[in-house]
Amino acid sequence: MTPWERSARPVFAAAPARRTRAVWRSLLRSDRGSVAVEFVVIVPLMLLVLLGFTELYLYMRAVSLVEHTAFTLADSIGQMTQVVDDSSTTSSNNLGAIWNAATLVAAPNALAARGGVVITSICEQSSSCGGLVSSPSKAPGVAKILWQKRAPWNGSTLSTHITSSNILPSTWPFRNGDSAVTIEVFYTYTPFSMTAPFWQNAPGTQTIYERVIVRPRTGQALTLQTAS
């Protein structure tokens, strides 16, 4: 082996190593494929955030519609002097018209399929549950259920929260000779239905409940008339 070959041999031996290092440096500096990696990582997160906001909006809308339905029915029924136990919608005082109005006000929530409505007329015992008290006072009154009706499509699990021992909240002022009407609206809702496949511990179906109490505008207890 000539002296030139002996001196050139280390140079040629180191050439593949230099090329390998150059290739690795080029790969490390290259940004090819970074967009695909960012897409794979960021897009699923963005979709989950979007679904989360959608779920939150749907839940808030359901709660708002239940509250709106309860307040609308209470305001309307509070202006009535009597309600007719009739399933038809020929008169606005018929129970059938009231149930139908509840489903329309609650739309797009399917109240008839997944909810319920309960109407309770409350009177004060000293007024014999009918008519005006001749000499009303500011003394605390004793509430009594005059009558109670539930929508025919109420679910079996959606029962009134009113009991004989808890007719009105203790903070609601009920005086001698008073009367009241309570509207209860229920709606079964499943939150996070779209994100449940990604969240095993997501909350299950729950019941949205709203109760509104009003005094009849006439000052007399709301009566229930049998359909003729």
Side-chain angles (χ1 to χ4, degrees):
M1 179 179 295
T2 63
W4 181 87
E5 290 176 337
R6 284 196 299 271
S7 62
R9 186 174 181 181
V11 175
F12 288 110
R18 287 197 298 270
R19 286 196 297 270
T20 301
R21 288 194 295 271
V23 170
W24 276 108
R25 285 195 296 269
S26 177
L27 289 175
L28 291 174
R29 289 195 299 266
S30 176
D31 60 356
R32 296 180 61 184
S34 61
V35 175
V37 173
E38 292 172 357
F39 181 85
V40 171
V41 173
I42 295 176
V43 169
L45 294 177
M46 292 180 62
L47 289 176
L48 284 176
V49 171
L50 180 61
L51 288 176
F53 277 110
T54 303
E55 296 275 17
L56 181 61
Y57 163 74
L58 292 176
Y59 177 76
M60 293 178 64
R61 185 185 69 171
V63 172
S64 177
L65 287 173
V66 169
E67 294 177 350
H68 178 62
T69 301
F71 277 96
T72 301
L73 290 180
D75 180 65
S76 178
I77 296 174
Q79 302 179 53
M80 300 178 182
T81 56
Q82 64 178 11
V83 171
V84 182
D85 191 4
D86 191 336
S87 59
S88 70
T89 58
T90 55
S91 172
S92 60
N93 288 71
N94 291 354
L95 282 175
I98 295 174
W99 308 140
N100 184 63
T103 60
L104 294 176
V105 175
N109 286 352
L111 191 65
R114 307 186 63 181
V117 178
V118 177
I119 303 174
T120 305
S121 179
I122 301 167
C123 63
E124 208 277 321
Q125 287 186 355
S126 66
S127 64
S128 301
C129 289
L132 295 172
V133 176
S134 58
S135 57
S137 67
K138 294 184 179 180
V142 179
K144 177 181 178 180
I145 296 177
L146 179 58
W147 59 268
Q148 185 177 82
K149 287 291 181 178
R150 63 198 304 268
W153 30 260
N154 273 29
S156 58
T157 60
L158 304 178
S159 58
T160 178
H161 291 189
I162 298 175
T163 63
S164 57
S165 60
N166 185 25
I167 298 177
L168 290 171
S170 58
T171 55
W172 203 82
F174 193 75
R175 306 299 182 185
N176 170 256
D178 266 351
S179 59
V181 177
T182 298
I183 306 298
E184 297 174 280
V185 179
F186 308 81
Y187 183 70
T188 54
Y189 183 78
T190 304
F192 309 106
S193 57
M194 292 185 291
T195 54
F198 312 100
W199 186 11
Q200 294 182 353
N201 297 324
T205 300
Q206 55 185 268
T207 301
I208 302 173
Y209 172 79
E210 183 67 29
R211 176 173 63 171
V212 178
I213 307 170
V214 295
R215 284 186 174 87
R217 304 286 177 84
T218 60
Q220 300 183 28
L222 183 67
T223 59
L224 181 66
Q225 179 182 350
T226 304
S228 55

